[in-house]
Amino acid sequence: MEKKILILCLSILCLCASAKQRVILITIDGLRSDILSNSSQPAPFLHEMMRKSVYVPNVIVVNPTMTYPSHTTLVTGSTPLDHGIHCNRQFQFNRAEPTLYNWYADSIRTKTIWQTVKEHGGTTASVFWPVTTGCKWIDFNLPEYFPTKRVSVSGMDYIRPVCTPTDIMAELEREATGHLSDTTLRAGSFQYDAKVASMVNYLTNRYKPDFMTVHLVTTDYKQHETGIYSNETQQAVAAADHAIGLILENLEYTHQKDSVTVIVTGDHGFTQGQYRLHPNALLASNGMLSEQPGGDWQACFNSLGAAAYMYVNPSLTSKQKSRCIEKVRKILSEQPDTVKALYKILSNEEIKAVKGDPTAALCLAPVSGVGCSNNRKGEFITDFKGGLHGYVYLPDTKAYDPTSLIIHGNIDRSTIERFFSTPDTIQQTSIAPMILRIMEMENPQSK
């Protein structure tokens, strides 16, 4: 009898243990909502997940709708105003220096899911997630980190020294992917996402991380380059969907599907471009900005892809800064009505109200289909046929590029639906606390 009771107790403990979910959070960069809602899109695995899982059509993305701010929100539950990542590339204050990306995890000012999981004794992993370089809370980390100028080594050799542990890339090459180089793992290529899936499957099987973040990028590259409805974009959607299928198949084959929740979302959506604004060209033609970085300047815009933040030279006096801002407002307000209809001008207070960068003096916030560049020469407005994101959402302009969410796993909808704004909508800031609820852990901002 005692033996039977012992066996029964052990069985109950095993069932309890199996109920605890590990999570793989996957972003498909630039996952437009219509990729999931339109059954003609080449995404059979994603469409099947929608039918069998919890599907939330609308994810309301933080401002600006940009890769690095959004990815940081997904793992913190914070807005850019709080976590401090306001753009992909830091503003260089008119210096003639290479582009500086927000690579490093110590730039994040709020608590992440990785930290919470580690504090609960769990294991973490990440594959090419932005703003993770040097993250002490990720056990197995291949950060998004690449050269922005010509270097003497390949891109893969450039990234190896910042991976954790230092030999993880070699291990993945040996056990999962084969040799990785700029040819065999080239960002923007159709094979890229499949290679990432191979890495994810090896890490899942070998180390069983409690929480893993995964960034699939090819869809973003193709939409920027060729627009959102091109054949190349369709092919990129199919490549990302194939990668998702590889991950799901592995979980099924290795009997992990009941213990792993797979969450798929986008960092932002996309809109089809029509025009591009060049506000720095306008400043340069009015004597407020040098035509080349490194010269004299009063003000300078930093493009977010669609919107653009404007910064004022910090060496100016308070009175000079005020005059500078008013002069820029005047220049923008004197454009033809047909041009002015393409954008709003936000003050510093309005930027902070939408949780944007509090150090920006102004924000040029275009309508959907219009973006901004950092070009300093030429006309203020030109035609543009690529894809755009990086908007600041304003109800009156409706400049927005939403994404969607799929939660696929052994979970009860009632466990997570309290995080939804409505049955078909969730705020991007609610996804991190929802993940921790699935994992039965605390909110990342509670400490």
Side-chain angles (χ1 to χ4, degrees):
M1 178 63 71
E2 290 181 357
K3 185 177 180 180
K4 289 182 179 179
I5 293 173
L6 178 60
I7 291 172
L8 178 61
C9 290
L10 287 173
S11 299
I12 292 171
L13 286 171
C14 288
L15 286 171
C16 292
S18 65
K20 186 175 181 181
Q21 291 289 294
R22 293 146 54 201
V23 170
I24 301 176
L25 171 62
I26 304 171
T27 52
I28 299 176
D29 204 312
L31 179 68
R32 309 188 319 269
S33 293
D34 65 292
I35 289 174
L36 297 182
S37 62
N38 185 347
S39 60
S40 68
Q41 287 286 325
F45 291 107
L46 288 168
H47 291 156
E48 184 178 14
M49 286 178 73
M50 289 169 52
R51 292 191 295 270
K52 295 181 177 180
S53 312
V54 178
Y55 164 55
V56 187
N58 299 306
V59 176
I60 307 302
V61 185
V62 293
N63 294 314
T65 56
M66 207 172 187
T67 299
Y68 283 35
S70 293
H71 273 86
T72 307
T73 292
L74 284 168
V75 293
T76 62
S78 305
T79 67
L81 183 64
D82 294 319
H83 63 56
I85 307 300
H86 299 286
C87 57
N88 295 355
R89 296 172 289 186
Q90 298 175 16
F91 177 58
Q92 296 295 288
F93 290 91
N94 196 36
R95 294 192 293 267
E97 296 179 359
T99 300
L100 183 62
Y101 277 73
N102 280 311
W103 301 128
Y104 298 100
D106 60 6
S107 300
I108 301 174
R109 297 199 298 248
T110 51
K111 193 174 181 180
T112 66
I113 299 177
W114 303 301
Q115 180 178 349
T116 300
V117 171
K118 290 302 297 177
E119 289 175 348
H120 280 75
T123 302
T124 55
S126 186
V127 182
F128 301 135
W129 195 270
V131 204
T132 56
T133 304
C135 183
K136 65 182 181 180
W137 305 107
I138 303 176
D139 296 300
F140 303 96
N141 187 17
L142 287 79
E144 178 161 300
Y145 186 79
F146 50 82
T148 54
K149 60 181 179 179
R150 187 175 296 276
V151 294
S152 60
V153 298
S154 73
M156 295 312 300
D157 289 336
Y158 188 81
I159 191 178
R160 291 176 198 277
V162 298
C163 293
T164 305
T166 55
D167 62 348
I168 188 62
M169 185 75 77
E171 182 179 345
L172 287 166
E173 288 176 307
R174 185 177 65 251
E175 303 292 341
T177 64
H179 178 65
L180 298 174
S181 67
D182 292 343
T183 300
T184 59
L185 191 71
R186 178 172 56 86
S189 67
F190 295 124
Q191 64 178 335
Y192 185 93
D193 290 350
K195 292 282 189 181
V196 169
S198 295
M199 297 179 186
V200 171
N201 290 342
Y202 175 77
L203 293 170
T204 300
N205 299 342
R206 174 69 177 84
Y207 296 107
K208 293 181 170 49
D210 297 281
F211 178 63
M212 176 157 50
T213 46
V214 183
H215 182 203
L216 302 178
V217 302
T218 307
T219 42
D220 184 78
Y221 277 77
K222 299 305 181 186
Q223 289 180 98
H224 276 302
E225 293 170 0
T226 65
I228 68 175
Y229 302 118
S230 68
N231 288 334
E232 292 88 347
T233 292
Q234 292 279 89
Q235 292 160 358
V237 169
D241 184 72
H242 174 62
I244 298 295
L246 292 173
I247 292 168
L248 295 176
E249 180 185 56
N250 174 68
L251 293 173
E252 176 83 31
Y253 182 74
T254 57
H255 308 290
Q256 299 181 78
K257 68 182 183 67
D258 290 335
S259 59
V260 177
T261 295
V262 177
I263 297 175
V264 179
T265 188
D267 48 351
H268 51 74
F270 255 93
T271 65
Q272 179 58 47
Q274 294 180 286
Y275 302 105
R276 178 163 272 182
L277 306 176
H278 311 284
N280 281 335
L282 205 58
L283 297 184
S285 65
N286 281 273
M288 303 185 71
L289 177 68
S290 61
E291 284 196 349
Q292 296 295 328
D296 293 334
W297 70 292
Q298 298 173 49
C300 185
F301 281 91
N302 187 35
S303 170
L304 306 171
Y309 286 138
M310 192 196 82
Y311 302 88
V312 176
N313 191 327
S315 67
L316 299 180
T317 66
S318 296
K319 184 175 289 188
Q320 288 172 327
K321 290 178 181 177
S322 296
R323 289 175 179 170
C324 172
I325 293 168
E326 287 310 308
K327 184 175 180 181
V328 174
R329 279 187 171 278
K330 185 172 186 293
I331 292 169
L332 290 169
S333 65
E334 290 176 346
Q335 298 302 306
D337 289 344
T338 54
V339 175
K340 287 192 295 182
L342 300 178
Y343 56 81
K344 295 285 186 180
I345 306 168
L346 305 186
S347 67
N348 174 261
E349 288 303 314
E350 290 172 316
I351 293 169
K352 288 188 285 189
V354 296
K355 310 299 182 182
D357 185 355
T359 68
L362 296 175
C363 177
L364 191 62
V367 300
S368 290
V370 180
C372 293
S373 83
N374 286 328
N375 294 345
R376 301 181 183 215
K377 298 179 182 180
E379 301 295 323
F380 174 46
I381 180 171
T382 58
D383 292 339
F384 182 70
K385 301 304 180 186
L388 292 167
H389 65 86
Y391 289 97
V392 172
Y393 176 60
L394 301 169
D396 53 345
T397 62
K398 302 188 186 303
Y400 196 52
D401 46 358
T403 185
S404 297
L405 176 73
I406 303 173
I407 308 156
H408 179 74
N410 186 26
I411 55 170
D412 191 324
R413 183 186 177 96
S414 62
T415 302
I416 56 175
E417 61 185 3
R418 68 185 179 91
F419 295 95
F420 303 167
S421 304
T422 67
D424 65 354
T425 302
I426 188 172
Q427 302 292 320
Q428 196 170 54
T429 50
S430 296
I431 293 176
M434 182 193 71
I435 289 171
L436 288 168
R437 177 66 186 87
I438 291 171
M439 300 177 69
E440 302 177 8
M441 296 183 185
E442 62 185 289
N443 186 290
Q445 306 310 321
S446 63
K447 283 192 177 182

